[in-house]
Amino acid sequence: MNAEAIIDALATQGWCVHHDFLPDAPVAALRGVCLARQASGGFHAAGVGAGQSRVISELRQDRILWLEADDPAPAVQDYLAAMASLRQAVNRELMLGLFELEAHFAAYPPGAFYQRHLDRFREDDRRVLTVILYLNADWTPADGGQLRFWPQASAPADCLDILPTGGTLVTFLSDRFWHEVLPARRERLAITGWFKRR
Ligand code: OGA
Ligand code: MN
């Protein structure tokens, strides 16, 4: 894992797109776990706000499954270990006080979107750093599903579109950057996580 590049980008601009955070094999293993749990009915419609109790399909249409620390899948344990070392490196260099990770698998069916939003809730401001790991094989621009990301609130016209290619990790300060998920032509898979402070 190349935490240094991520930390440098977070320090200078508050966000980072890292294209080869994980190699193909662990990404494929995570994708396999994600698909198997989806097939066995483990996912539910995602909600909005702290606690995610309100399902508002005008805002977001993904289906999710929260990860637990004692997940039995080795691929999930490897993911959690990679996030733990990223958390330690970020805390050492940037002193963000990251304490725990909450993370879920997210599956967007074809055509599903998540409208423009910020990740920090009004009711609960503990989310500090968003980490999104994409799990999709052979994604092309024609598949859609880009993460549309606004690096500067002051320049609302200037956005960038990030492809959800397997192994890409997107990190950004949760309270600062507007973003949305564009509809895709294929099912779009990710693990979305938030490092929280105490
Ligand atoms: C989210 C989110 C972006 C993505 O779950 O809050 O913005 O690219 N996801 O999946
Ligand atoms: Mn978000």
Side-chain angles (χ1 to χ4, degrees):
M1 182 193 48
N2 186 1
E4 228 165 275
I6 295 173
I7 288 165
D8 284 350
L10 289 177
T12 54
Q13 60 188 17
W15 59 276
C16 178
V17 180
H18 192 301
H19 286 293
D20 296 300
F21 181 76
L22 284 186
D24 286 346
V27 171
L30 285 168
R31 182 168 62 244
V33 175
C34 181
L35 290 171
R37 294 199 182 156
Q38 211 188 351
S40 63
F43 281 52
H44 60 271
V48 298
Q52 301 216 340
S53 47
R54 287 165 290 144
V55 173
I56 304 179
S57 58
E58 292 78 19
L59 292 181
R60 70 184 291 189
Q61 301 178 325
D62 53 328
R63 296 181 60 78
I64 65 165
L65 175 65
W66 289 100
L67 298 180
E68 303 294 339
D70 62 353
D71 193 291
V76 172
Q77 287 305 321
D78 291 347
Y79 163 81
L80 293 173
M83 289 302 116
S85 55
L86 178 61
R87 174 172 56 76
Q88 285 156 13
V90 168
N91 278 343
R92 202 161 47 232
E93 303 295 328
L94 302 180
M95 284 160 288
L96 288 178
L98 308 182
F99 176 62
E100 60 178 350
L101 177 73
E102 56 181 9
H104 59 58
F105 284 120
Y108 288 75
F113 56 78
Y114 192 158
Q115 292 219 333
R116 191 174 133 99
H117 65 280
L118 293 173
D119 279 354
R120 185 177 280 186
F121 306 125
R122 223 159 296 155
E123 319 90 273
D124 178 353
D125 67 356
R126 285 175 300 164
R127 285 181 170 183
V128 174
L129 187 68
T130 301
V131 280
I132 308 167
L133 175 66
Y134 297 112
L135 304 181
N136 307 294
D138 306 319
W139 200 271
T140 71
D143 292 322
Q146 291 88 348
L147 171 64
R148 180 160 286 176
F149 184 85
W150 282 268
Q152 293 155 301
S154 56
D158 292 335
C159 60
L160 46 134
D161 286 347
I162 300 155
L163 280 187
T165 303
T168 295
L169 186 81
V170 178
T171 47
F172 54 88
L173 297 173
S174 304
D175 63 339
R176 218 183 276 179
F177 297 101
W178 291 89
H179 57 283
E180 77 173 286
V181 178
L182 303 181
R185 290 184 186 81
R186 291 165 55 187
E187 184 179 52
R188 176 193 193 274
L189 304 177
I191 300 179
T192 313
W194 296 272
F195 289 114
K196 299 163 73 171
R197 54 180 173 70
R198 249 180 238 267

